[in-house]
Amino acid sequence: MRIASESKQYIQRVSMLSRNAKLYLVATSLLGLSFGIWAVIFNLYLNLKEIGFQPDFISNMFTVGAIATGVIALPAGLLCEHLGPKKALLISLTANLCSLVQIFTLEPSVLLLASLISGLVGTMGWVASAPFMMENSRREERTYLFSVRSTIMIIMGVIGSYAGGVMPDFFNAALGMPTGAETVSALGYRITLLIAVALDIATVAPILLVKESKTVQRQKIGTLLSLRNIQSPRTIIKFMIPTALVGFGAGFIVPLFNIFFKLRFTATTEQIGFIFALGSVALGVGTIAAPVISESIGKVKSVVVCQYLSMPFIMLMTLAPNLPMATAAYVARGALMNMAGPISATLQMELVTETERATTNGLMVMSDSIPRALTASISGGMMTGNDFYTPFLFTTLTYFAASSLYFLFFRKAETSASSQRLHKN
């Protein structure tokens, strides 16, 4: 009975979302499908014998893009405060031009430059997402909007991941090109990646239909550059520290999951697509449950418990004797670690003022991306040398430190925030 009541409330809250929020969810669907395809096969495309790039160079590409993201995140947040989330989202979509370059221009220097520019431009969308959702939802809806957005991204990612694993061989077979593991043609991969880029470009349509509120006051660029809009520096720094530690740990393994499965367990592209799809399904189920869990035990405890529970599965992935067991560990780790994301993002936006939300989001992106960039290059070298244990161990240790600090910093935050709201009312 309780489950039915909570499900009814969940559906009611989602149905009451604003028109702008629903348009953003349409755009999210297209982005999720595109991301699912790209995430599965781009690294594998570069690692094909016909293309010839090794994990160390692929991780360096990620590092360049992540460093660019980290460096530009704060300026992007300030620019988003000035322009508004809608314009920032549209600017970020021009990063697709870099994706086109990466598909066809396989010179190392050009690939690195494209990763750099893509990181610089694409960060605008990342930074703008949370402020956009805050502007277009009421307080009681926010956790639901953040959760549904993540869920849609995940569900479409499932479809994209599976399709990304299947389409290269499908296109190669249809065109009479080789499909074997040793002789597979890059043509099928290129066509699949082009489809991913086209889906990304299509997100322009729903974003253009968004109507921005005229009552929201955009801040002057001079005020933003002086950082006078920041009113909660201690809170922001407390969020940045565990975020940086999570980024540091994630960089060791997350960017190279597809390469890990290929080299460690000789998984095929289709198998890797299926693994990524399974991970997304589990993550989707967890994300749907996130608002209910957060209302039951609180946002802070939800984040910390999920992250702690994910840690044994991180080590099981690399210690697993076979692909099925490693897949199960990957699915459990991803669901537990990432279902906390919407909850933590909501808490961040609630604990800072309206004038500093995009700036805060920019600082979070910077805190995550720069440490992640540093460790990705290290991990790429390790995996090229067939060391798959050390990266996973480092990730586990840093996740433990990050989760412990998160609880230490914010264990009383929700009580304080509730008291402040009561005094205002």
Side-chain angles (χ1 to χ4, degrees), residues 34 38 42 45-46 61 92-106 110-111 113-115 117-119 122 190 193-194 196-198 200-201:
S34 171
W38 189 275
F42 181 61
Y45 167 67
L46 294 177
M61 280 185 61
S92 73
L93 292 173
T94 61
N96 289 303
L97 298 175
C98 297
S99 298
L100 288 172
V101 170
Q102 288 178 319
I103 295 171
F104 294 105
T105 308
L106 298 172
V110 176
L111 286 169
L113 180 61
S115 293
I117 297 172
S118 180
R190 290 194 185 102
L193 290 170
L194 283 172
V197 173
D200 223 349
I201 293 171

Side-chain angles (χ1 to χ4, degrees), residues 17 57 77 95 105 107 126 132 171 201 204 217 228 248 268 282-283 308 324 374 399 406:
L17 293 175
F57 177 79
T105 308
E107 290 294 326
W126 192 357
F132 179 91
F171 287 125
I201 293 171
V204 170
Q217 296 295 316
R228 288 199 298 271
F248 186 86
T268 65
L283 181 53
Y308 274 141
L374 297 175
Y399 278 15
Y406 192 95

Side-chain angles (χ1 to χ4, degrees), residues 72-136:
I72 203 66
L74 178 56
L78 298 175
L79 191 59
C80 179
E81 301 276 17
H82 177 66
L83 296 175
K86 176 181 175 178
K87 290 179 182 176
L89 288 168
L90 290 172
I91 290 170
S92 73
L93 292 173
T94 61
N96 289 303
L97 298 175
C98 297
S99 298
L100 288 172
V101 170
Q102 288 178 319
I103 295 171
F104 294 105
T105 308
L106 298 172
E107 290 294 326
S109 58
V110 176
L111 286 169
L112 292 171
L113 180 61
S115 293
L116 176 68
I117 297 172
S118 180
L120 292 172
V121 178
T123 302
M124 287 289 290
W126 192 357
V127 169
S129 60
F132 179 91
M133 288 187 282
M134 291 295 290
E135 279 189 15
N136 292 282

Side-chain angles (χ1 to χ4, degrees), residues 141-164:
E141 298 170 350
R142 281 171 188 155
T143 303
Y144 289 84
L145 177 56
F146 276 72
S147 177
V148 170
R149 185 258 182 187
S150 295
T151 302
I152 289 175
M153 190 80 176
I154 290 160
I155 290 171
M156 299 310 291
V158 171
I159 299 170
S161 295
Y162 184 75

Side-chain angles (χ1 to χ4, degrees), residues 123-328:
T123 302
M124 287 289 290
W126 192 357
V127 169
S129 60
F132 179 91
M133 288 187 282
M134 291 295 290
E135 279 189 15
N136 292 282
S137 63
R138 294 184 293 272
R139 186 178 64 81
E140 64 272 15
E141 298 170 350
R142 281 171 188 155
T143 303
Y144 289 84
L145 177 56
F146 276 72
S147 177
V148 170
R149 185 258 182 187
S150 295
T151 302
I152 289 175
M153 190 80 176
I154 290 160
I155 290 171
M156 299 310 291
V158 171
I159 299 170
S161 295
Y162 184 75
V166 171
M167 283 195 292
D169 277 352
F170 171 80
F171 287 125
N172 280 333
L175 296 169
M177 305 298 289
T179 59
E182 296 296 319
T183 60
V184 63
S185 171
L187 180 60
Y189 285 78
R190 290 194 185 102
I191 295 171
T192 306
L193 290 170
L194 283 172
I195 291 172
V197 173
L199 289 166
D200 223 349
I201 293 171
T203 60
V204 170
I207 298 299
L208 284 174
L209 293 173
V210 166
K211 295 180 180 179
E212 290 190 298
S213 172
K214 295 181 180 179
T215 62
V216 177
Q217 296 295 316
R218 301 302 174 199
Q219 299 184 71
K220 295 180 180 179
I221 198 69
T223 302
L224 294 169
L225 289 174
S226 66
L227 299 182
R228 288 199 298 271
N229 66 310
I230 295 181
Q231 300 177 39
S232 317
R234 287 174 60 87
T235 299
I236 294 171
I237 290 170
K238 285 181 179 179
F239 275 115
M240 288 175 69
I241 293 171
T243 298
L245 284 170
V246 168
F248 186 86
F252 280 107
I253 59 172
V254 175
L256 296 175
F257 271 144
N258 45 8
I259 297 295
F260 165 76
F261 283 117
K262 177 183 177 181
L263 299 181
R264 173 76 170 81
F265 296 103
T266 61
T268 65
T269 300
E270 187 172 350
Q271 286 174 325
I272 294 168
F274 182 69
I275 291 167
F276 275 43
L278 278 180
S280 296
V281 168
L283 181 53
V285 172
T287 306
I288 290 171
V292 178
I293 296 171
S294 117
E295 288 182 0
S296 176
I297 65 173
K299 293 182 179 69
V300 175
K301 287 181 180 177
S302 298
V303 170
V304 173
V305 167
C306 290
Q307 291 181 350
Y308 274 141
L309 290 175
S310 76
M311 295 172 201
F313 296 105
I314 297 172
M315 291 308 302
L316 181 58
M317 280 183 65
T318 190
L319 295 173
N322 53 52
L323 183 60
M325 187 177 291
T327 299

Side-chain angles (χ1 to χ4, degrees), residues 55-56 59 256 376-387:
D56 51 359
S59 65
L256 296 175
S377 283
I378 298 170
S379 173
M382 290 178 179
M383 291 193 187
T384 300
N386 292 319
D387 180 1

